[in-house]
Amino acid sequence: MTTVPKIELRDVHKGFGSKKVLDGIDLSVNAGESVVVIGGSGTGKSVMLKSILGLLRPERGSILVDGEEVVGIRGNARERVLRKFGMLFQGSALFDSLKVWENVAFGLINGQGMPRPKAKEVALTKLAEVGLGADVGELNPAELSGGMQKRVALARAIAAEPEIIFFDEPTTGLDPIMGDVINELIVSSVKKLGVTTLSITHDMASARKIADRIAMIFEGKIIWQGPASAIENSGNAYVDQFIHGRAEGPIRMQVRRP
Amino acid sequence: MTNPVALIGRIFLDFLAAAGRLSIFAYNGIRYAFVPPYYPRAIGRQMLTIGYFSLPVVGLTALFTGMVLALQIYIGSSRFNAESAVASIVVIGITRELGPVLAGLIVAGRVSAAMAAEIGTMRVTEQIDALITLSTNPFKYLMAPRLIAGVTMLPLLVAVADVIGVFGGYLVGTRTLGFNPAAYLQNTFDYLHTEDVVSGLVKAAVFGFIIALMGAYQGYFSKGGAQGVGRAATNAVVTASILILTTDYFITKLFFAR
Ligand SMILES: Nc1ncnc2c1ncn2[C@@H]1O[C@H](COP(=O)(O)OP(=O)(O)OP(=O)(O)O)[C@@H](O)[C@H]1O
Ligand SMILES: [Mg+2]
């Protein structure tokens, strides 16, 4: 019996103007699996996540969620699909007109129609899970440090207990200890709740910890993927250069020297 | 370098594209104002910003406009011994024209710029994307409350402005120009028709719609960081003001023809 992947991208193309960003991405994520995508800055990792969510529309290719085509769906069908997802944005994207707890409870109150007092309780529990107290809940997002904002965004992404969670650089901007707490949190939510996750990170320690499978994106394509344990012996020069952070190698950074 | 005919064609096509985009945007804004879920908190907040917080500046404008109108009309009408017309011309001028137009322009400056900046910032910081992933339709959550508040609050503001403007005329008429207070009031109401007030309030509702629409529209489609947000705010004020002045003519003509 073949199982339908939770998410499947087939030959996805997306560009901006004349610039090609995604150039035929093929990737699938199985239910309950945690896949980490690595790749250089500006290679289109965030664009890939936004394409799956329908925030950007690919020019070509097909994206399936639970076997259902999601490219170009609208209205109620789209809302129903989006209910399966939680997303941690790279820049946190907290609503600055709302308090921290209202941010975390937003999906519960406005998406699911949960009464405010109940939603607040849930929000405070989620905030505690990311190491933030109830006093922080009453602040405005602008009053928090960048790392705290990231944690609030994380709490918001998991608050509604979605089936699929996207983490766009969850540990960037956190100190190493808090970074590890967040890694643990991601691992435990996958294990406990059976959530499917697709994460992006530059942080190899984090990638090793949370990934079942790692995929590397380069020039708009997935050039390597395999089990997390195989990353050290990938036999791929691009992957080797990336995970060891060497300036020398097949990946040439676009730095112009005079 | 460029062919002037091609340039004109391109400008015309851009204009049509923008007009089409605006129409679809307006249509969605109106449509979603009538479908649940409703966001009473968001509506209340917008009503407060647009209506209540605009009261001082609109009231002050109306007061001085009424006062100066009385002076000017007195000067003009005294040239053919028609000073007794001051009261009725002031009230007609204020209710039909100056009340709604000045209130509209002032609120456009105050509110549509702020609205465009707020929504524009939400756009560039991905808060609108976050809204969508939390199963909340930005048209319902952001646009509809603003449009509802604009359409309901502007007529209220203008009603207040009408009273204050007439009172300004009365002050100058009785204190400076030596009219008998009772006679001035008598003149004010004798020649005032229901239609004068109603046409002014209809204008106000339309202007309220324009103000909210342009603020939301310019913000929603802003791009390019802080600079883009600044441009959106300026464009919102300029386009709202121009639309107010042009639709004013057409609404007047509509009432005039009857
Ligand atoms: N809305 C947009 N309009 C135009 N170009 C865009 C847009 N979004 C992304 N891009 C371009 O697409 C490319 C990929 O962007 P993306 O944000 O996906 O990079 P990334 O892989 O997430 O990088 P990083 O690791 O730095 O976050 C970039 O070159 C960027 O300039
Ligand atoms: Mg990114």
Side-chain angles (χ1 to χ4, degrees), chain A residues 45-46 90 168-169 200:
Chain A
K45 303 182 297 299
S46 300
Q90 188 170 359
D168 197 343
E169 308 201 0
I200 288 172

Side-chain angles (χ1 to χ4, degrees), chain A residues 16 19 21 40-47 90 169 202:
Chain A
F16 297 97
K19 181 166 158 194
V21 177
S41 201
T43 48
K45 303 182 297 299
S46 300
V47 168
Q90 188 170 359
E169 308 201 0
H202 292 147

Side-chain angles (χ1 to χ4, degrees), chain A residues 104-105 108 122-123 126 154-162:
Chain A
V104 178
L108 301 171
V122 178
K126 297 292 169 188
L154 184 69
R156 185 175 70 179
I158 61 175
E161 307 200 338

